[in-house]
Amino acid sequence: MIIYSVAAVLTVLLGLMVDNRCRVQQNRISRQQLLNRISLLSVFLILFGVSACRLNVGNDYAKYVEFMHLINCNAFVPTEFGFNAVVRFLYEISGFENYLLVFAFFAFFTVLLFLVAIYRQAESFSFSFFLFMALGYYFQSFNTVRYYLALAIAVMAIPYVLRKEWAKFILLVLLGASLHKSLLVVIPLYFLASLPWKKWQLVIGAAFCSTFFFLQDFYLRAVIFLYPTYEDTEYLEGGTSYVNIVRCLAVLILSLVYYQNAVKESRRNRFYFYCNLGALVMYVCCSFLPVISRIGYYLTITHIFFLPALLGKIEDKKIKKLLTSGVILAAVFYFIIFILRKAGDDGLRILPYETFMFHDMVPILSDVN
């Protein structure tokens, strides 16, 4: 817990020194640009180091080690071909089953892509990065490493959606889907979120969403078709997140209050608005789907950009300061609860933190058998 708290505080403080809106000067590097590079490199090294040096941290760490062993033995695994290719390549150049290198590989690109995406897309790097850390996205990347790299790729793809560069968007998504096929859902979801919805279209959309309540068997069969390994397992139990429902609802209320000033005329903020609305609908209507949390994260990740953009458009300085303070306090409270109460749960198991420098890997299933 101390390592995570120190890493979060240090990186957020370093992030405060980054100005991603500074002007680029020709033929020379300004003092702010140099400070940006030093701060970003320091943030990257801290986050990469904590993630790459971990051992058996994350609820599926041992399962991934088992999958990697089976891939190296040319046995069947339910993982995508891109992941399998990365494992075979890294094991080949290592000369042994170097699973630490594989986890380091995914940590490197996950952290790198998130930082690049936040730097390029955020209204304020420091605010968006703070939300990224406080809302637990970085720490949850210790689980399902394929998915969180896919999530980082999804964030990188957002500018292509906003610029309507659909070919580049789809190619990037297909590349990410070779690591985790759930990324394919962002093709329809991000396309729908990019549309300028009319009120009558929203009514039709609401009518369609009502089918989730009485066609659950149909949608479950569709999920099993995409994820055949989920059949007859506990993964089909579904469930939703009341915390995420409250968060999406709060963001929706704030965005509706300032819709005319902050959302209506901004293509980017409208995209974020509909991502948040879509996530709220999914968490409320699709709790029976076993992959709802993964789908929802592709939409709620936009909160780290949407909230700073909304707050930045508030003209009344007192209200702006009050709401900004409220968002910061809520995020800090979420982080404290996350670290103290959720981090050690079986669903996450990122506590206690262990590193290969001082601990040994537990036996995997193949070792036991």
Side-chain angles (χ1 to χ4, degrees):
M1 182 174 68
I2 295 176
I3 291 177
Y4 296 155
S5 299
V6 170
V9 171
L10 278 179
T11 54
V12 167
L13 290 176
L14 287 165
L16 291 174
M17 294 187 284
V18 176
D19 179 8
N20 61 319
R21 297 303 174 189
C22 68
R23 295 182 179 179
V24 178
Q25 300 182 8
Q26 292 184 341
N27 301 325
R28 72 187 187 95
I29 299 176
S30 68
R31 182 179 299 177
Q32 182 59 55
Q33 288 176 294
L34 181 60
L35 184 60
N36 284 353
R37 293 181 182 183
I38 295 173
S39 300
L40 288 170
L41 178 60
S42 300
V43 169
F44 172 80
L45 290 176
I46 292 171
L47 298 185
F48 169 68
V50 172
S51 182
C53 291
R54 76 190 193 277
L55 179 72
N56 199 30
V57 175
N59 68 339
D60 54 3
Y61 191 100
K63 182 183 293 184
Y64 267 110
V65 175
E66 172 74 12
F67 284 162
M68 295 174 202
H69 172 72
L70 294 175
I71 291 168
N72 194 46
C73 296
N74 295 317
F76 170 78
V77 288
T79 49
E80 289 77 5
F81 71 91
F83 174 77
N84 300 349
V86 169
V87 171
R88 290 192 179 98
F89 173 74
L90 294 179
Y91 276 18
E92 180 67 25
I93 63 174
S94 298
F96 66 100
E97 295 191 358
N98 191 352
Y99 55 85
L100 292 174
L101 181 60
V102 178
F103 283 107
F105 174 92
F106 278 86
F108 181 92
F109 284 103
T110 300
V111 173
L112 177 65
L113 293 183
F114 270 125
L115 288 180
V116 170
I118 295 171
Y119 186 84
R120 290 179 178 177
Q121 299 177 46
E123 287 278 333
S124 166
F125 176 88
S126 57
F127 200 169
S128 292
F129 178 73
F130 161 74
L131 293 174
F132 171 73
M133 294 298 294
L135 297 179
Y137 289 108
Y138 165 69
F139 296 105
Q140 293 191 73
S141 69
F142 294 178
N143 294 290
T144 322
V145 293
R146 294 177 300 126
Y147 168 77
Y148 277 91
L149 179 52
L151 181 62
I153 293 172
V155 180
M156 287 289 294
I158 289 176
Y160 295 131
V161 176
L162 299 178
R163 294 196 296 263
K164 296 185 178 181
E165 297 176 353
W166 298 112
K168 293 180 180 178
F169 167 66
I170 291 175
L171 285 175
L172 186 56
V173 170
L174 291 177
L175 175 64
S178 70
L179 301 171
H180 203 285
K181 58 189 172 186
S182 69
L183 183 59
L184 293 173
V185 302
V186 304
I187 295 178
L189 291 180
Y190 284 6
F191 172 74
L192 292 173
S194 70
L195 297 177
W197 289 79
K198 306 297 183 183
K199 291 182 179 179
W200 64 270
Q201 293 173 324
L202 290 173
V203 172
I204 295 176
F208 170 77
C209 290
S210 67
T211 63
F212 290 117
F213 293 108
F214 55 85
L215 291 178
Q216 294 185 3
D217 290 341
F218 169 78
Y219 291 116
L220 280 174
R221 286 197 296 271
V223 170
I224 293 174
F225 175 78
L226 293 173
Y227 292 91
T229 56
Y230 280 8
E231 190 169 10
D232 298 325
T233 68
E234 69 276 8
Y235 293 112
L236 287 181
E237 293 178 359
T240 191
S241 170
Y242 295 107
V243 173
N244 283 329
I245 290 175
V246 171
R247 193 172 103 195
C248 291
L249 186 60
V251 172
L252 178 63
I253 293 172
L254 180 63
S255 60
L256 287 175
V257 170
Y258 295 100
Y259 187 85
Q260 292 294 327
N261 187 41
V263 179
K264 186 177 181 180
E265 302 302 325
S266 171
R267 177 177 175 83
R268 181 185 60 175
N269 289 348
R270 283 202 313 271
F271 173 79
Y272 298 152
F273 174 84
Y274 286 119
C275 280
N276 178 72
L277 181 61
L280 179 60
V281 169
M282 286 187 175
Y283 284 126
V284 172
C285 302
C286 305
S287 61
F288 63 94
L289 292 177
V291 292
I292 191 59
S293 61
R294 292 181 180 178
I295 297 174
Y297 272 30
Y298 286 124
L299 299 174
T300 60
I301 188 65
T302 58
H303 286 173
I304 68 175
F305 303 124
F306 193 27
L307 283 170
L310 277 176
L311 295 170
K313 292 292 185 179
I314 299 175
E315 296 177 352
D316 189 306
K317 292 183 178 180
K318 290 184 178 179
I319 295 178
K320 180 179 180 178
K321 185 176 181 180
L322 179 64
L323 290 176
T324 301
S325 299
V327 169
I328 293 173
L329 288 174
V332 170
F333 179 74
Y334 179 91
F335 177 77
I336 292 173
I337 297 300
F338 174 80
I339 292 297
L340 291 180
R341 302 200 49 188
K342 292 182 62 179
D345 292 350
D346 290 338
L348 288 173
R349 218 192 64 75
I350 62 174
L351 283 177
Y353 181 80
E354 297 181 351
T355 171
F356 66 85
M357 292 179 281
F358 304 109
H359 300 87
D360 295 321
M361 181 61 193
V362 298
I364 61 175
L365 184 61
S366 295
D367 294 333
V368 175
N369 293 337

